């Protein structure tokens, strides 16, 4: 499986004085307010914070799914706060992988085809996409389920396919929002171990939001959100 090459320790994702605000009636609700955060190459960072404090908002901003109201998001040295929508889409496609609490697999396609899809969109040939998809499924220990559709897979298998799909294009940064939140503790532990091993083997940098402190303790460092700011734990 190909690895993403990079210089260990260099910033690959930066949030600089980021603010995200919403209007509720006559009041402004600040989800993030002057938030600063740096993810370095090769790091795995756990984002541990109570529900409603802005974890998903932070990940959406970091993944260029939303624009900050203040500050900037920098991906691999490129300031992205004011770039065009087309450029943001291109950066997301090549540099960022997403894993959510629910797998969001395409139900009409097999596990193999789900992992091939983002590669085909990026211009790889069908043969190349299939080869990498098979490698990823084998790495996640579900190669024998390649021809099964999502409805035929267990929850843990579905999430492992989703993880494989997220890294299929060898992104620079992986963002995961409670990736084991819908799984029982034993399955969650196994899926997280597979995710952690894949991240480290591939040379990815990752921010993983989780409520599970045992899983969080396995990562390089932990951060939380306090009064709209990112704070080291």
């Amino acid at each position: 499986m190909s690895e993403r090459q990079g210089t260990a320790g260099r910033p690959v994702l930066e949030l600089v004085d980021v603010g995200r605000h919403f209007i509720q009636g006559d009041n402004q609700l600040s989800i993030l307010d002057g938030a600063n955060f740096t993810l370095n190459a090769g790091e795995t960072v756990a984002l541990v914070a109570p529900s409603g404090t802005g974890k998903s908002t932070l990940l959406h901003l970091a993944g260029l799914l939303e624009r900050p109201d203040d500050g900037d998001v920098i991906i691999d040295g490129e300031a992205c706060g004011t770039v065009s929508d087309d450029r943001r889409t291109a950066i997301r496609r090549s540099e960022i992988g997403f894993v959510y609490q629910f797998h969001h697999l395409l139900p009409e396609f097999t596990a193999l085809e789900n992992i091939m899809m983002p590669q085909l969109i990026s211009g790889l040939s069908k043969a190349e996409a299939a080869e990498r998809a098979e490698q990823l499924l084998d790495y996640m220990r579900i190669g024998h389920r390649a021809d099964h559709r999502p409805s035929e897979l267990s929850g843990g298998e579905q999430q492992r396919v989703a993880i494989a799909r997220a890294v299929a294009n060898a992104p620079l940064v992986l963002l995961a929002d409670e990736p084991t939140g819908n799984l029982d503790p034993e399955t969650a532990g196994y899926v997280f171990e597979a995710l952690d091993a894949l991240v480290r083997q591939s040379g990815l940098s990752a921010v993983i939001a989780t409520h599970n402190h045992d899983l969080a303790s396995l990562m390089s460092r932990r951060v939380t959100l306090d009064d709209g700011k990112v704070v080291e734990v």
Side-chain angles (χ1 to χ4, degrees):
M1 184 168 52
S2 62
E3 296 183 5
R4 184 67 181 251
Q5 299 298 321
T7 303
R10 69 181 176 86
V12 294
L13 165 65
E14 298 170 84
L15 273 61
V16 182
D17 293 329
V18 163
R20 189 73 172 104
H21 316 291
F22 299 92
I23 301 299
Q24 286 189 338
D26 296 330
N27 300 316
Q28 176 176 281
L29 176 64
S30 294
I31 305 299
L32 297 174
D33 187 10
N36 291 280
F37 172 73
T38 299
L39 176 69
N40 294 313
E43 269 194 322
T44 56
V45 177
L47 175 57
V48 183
S51 298
T53 54
K55 295 194 303 297
S56 294
T57 297
L58 186 148
L59 292 176
H60 287 170
L61 291 168
L64 308 185
L65 294 172
E66 298 180 24
R67 292 184 186 269
D69 297 308
D70 310 303
D72 208 345
V73 177
I74 302 171
I75 305 291
D76 199 26
E78 181 175 354
C80 301
T82 58
V83 298
S84 68
D85 288 340
D86 286 346
R87 179 58 185 153
R88 289 165 67 86
T89 298
I91 294 170
R92 280 198 305 270
R93 182 181 300 137
S94 63
E95 306 293 353
I96 301 169
F98 293 92
V99 182
Y100 297 99
Q101 186 171 0
F102 185 71
H103 57 78
H104 294 298
L105 297 173
L106 299 172
E108 65 271 29
F109 294 105
T110 65
L112 185 77
E113 291 166 341
N114 266 278
I115 301 170
M116 289 173 61
M117 199 66 62
Q119 300 177 76
L120 296 174
I121 292 171
S122 292
L124 264 69
S125 70
K126 188 174 181 179
E128 290 173 315
E131 180 180 6
R132 178 159 172 80
E134 288 170 356
Q135 291 175 344
L136 286 166
L137 284 170
D138 286 340
Y139 192 84
M140 300 299 285
R141 300 183 184 179
I142 49 172
H144 61 292
R145 307 291 274 169
D147 294 330
H148 290 72
R149 288 180 170 79
S151 61
E152 300 170 314
L153 303 174
S154 69
E157 289 170 338
Q158 291 169 346
Q159 199 63 331
R160 276 179 275 169
V161 174
I163 292 167
R165 181 182 59 182
V167 302
N169 281 338
L172 189 66
V173 176
L174 179 68
L175 303 172
D177 194 356
E178 297 287 354
T180 60
N182 278 335
L183 306 175
D184 64 81
E186 182 177 357
T187 304
Y190 181 81
V191 169
F192 185 84
E193 287 175 6
L195 170 60
D196 186 57
L198 181 61
V199 166
R200 296 179 191 279
Q201 192 275 342
S202 301
L204 280 165
S205 307
V207 181
I208 302 174
T210 179
H211 282 102
N212 190 317
H213 289 267
D214 291 333
L215 300 183
S217 68
L218 301 175
M219 296 186 230
S220 305
R221 59 189 174 98
R222 288 178 289 171
V223 299
T224 189
L225 292 169
D226 183 23
D227 196 25
K229 293 178 172 55
V230 181
V231 180
E232 295 283 338
V233 176

